[in-house]
Structures are given as structure tokens and as C-alpha cells.
Amino acid sequence: MVKFQIDSIGCIKYTELRKKFLILPFSYFLMSSIDTLTTKILEFRDARKWEKFHTPKNLALSLVIETGELFEIMQWKEDHEILSDINRLKPQLQDEIADIAIYLFLLAHEFGINLADAIPQKIVKNWKKYPLEEKAKFEKD
């Protein structure tokens, strides 16, 4: 039997067959990557003097627009069609997903939200909200 516990700093601890494991908080690994990417995004923006256009509302709208562009690639296709054509679609999907991430990082920056903290905190909330014991309820549907 596998048992999960979440400690006060977001570490996920689990026990499996009498062996104990500790999973470090995601922020431990994410911090430098997210900070580095955000810095590169801000350097690109600031070199073009676009900061005045990057208001929270404009960034949120841009996030929605880029998400629409992602959906446009998949419009009118079934999942199996998208997956069978992934080699051709992947470059477009990659560009749109990167655009979404860029606007998300910019929006988080504007709100002073540290994604390296926010993401693991949300994962911890999700573990608590949807415990493994609840899994059986969803499988019956």
C-alpha cells in the first residue's frame, strides 16, 4: 500500500512497502529555471521598450489569444488525428505553447507571483483536494 503525506513546506512524503521516500519541493528544482526564463523574457521585452504595453489586462488578453491560436491548430480534428499527425504539427504546437508560457510568465511577474512557489503550492492543494482514496469515485463514471 502506498501512503502519501504532505509536510508544511510542500514536500511530498510517501511510504511504499515499508520504505520511506521524500520528494523535495518542486520549487527546489524550478526556481533557477523559472527565474532564468523570466529574466530572458524580460530582457527581450525591455530591449524593445514594450513594458508600457504589458499591463495585466493586456497580458491576460494575449494569453487568451495565444491559447486560441493553439486551439486553431487542432480545430476540427479528433484527438487520434492530432496524435497521428504529431510530427507535422509539433513545431506549430511548440511555438504556440511557448507563446502561452511567455505571456503566463510575464503576467505572473506583473502580479509579483513567484511561479516556483505557486505551482508546488497548487499541486499540494490538489493532492489534498483529490486524494488517491477519491480515485475510485472517478473510475466508476
Side-chain angles (χ1 to χ4, degrees), residues 81-98:
E81 293 173 296
I82 296 164
L83 294 172
S84 68
D85 203 14
I86 195 68
N87 289 333
R88 187 181 66 78
L89 295 175
K90 194 170 188 175
Q92 294 172 274
L93 295 168
Q94 179 175 304
D95 283 349
E96 297 310 330
I97 290 170

Side-chain angles (χ1 to χ4, degrees), residues 32-72:
S32 65
S33 297
I34 289 177
D35 286 346
T36 300
L37 289 170
T38 301
T39 298
K40 294 295 182 193
I41 293 165
L42 292 170
E43 286 173 359
F44 179 87
R45 178 196 73 181
D46 294 348
R48 288 152 183 78
K49 300 189 183 336
W50 289 349
E51 184 176 3
K52 63 186 171 191
F53 304 113
H54 287 185
T55 64
K57 178 193 69 100
N58 287 346
L59 291 170
L61 283 171
S62 295
L63 188 57
V64 171
I65 291 166
E66 292 299 337
T67 302
E69 290 180 13
L70 176 63
F71 279 123
E72 187 178 22

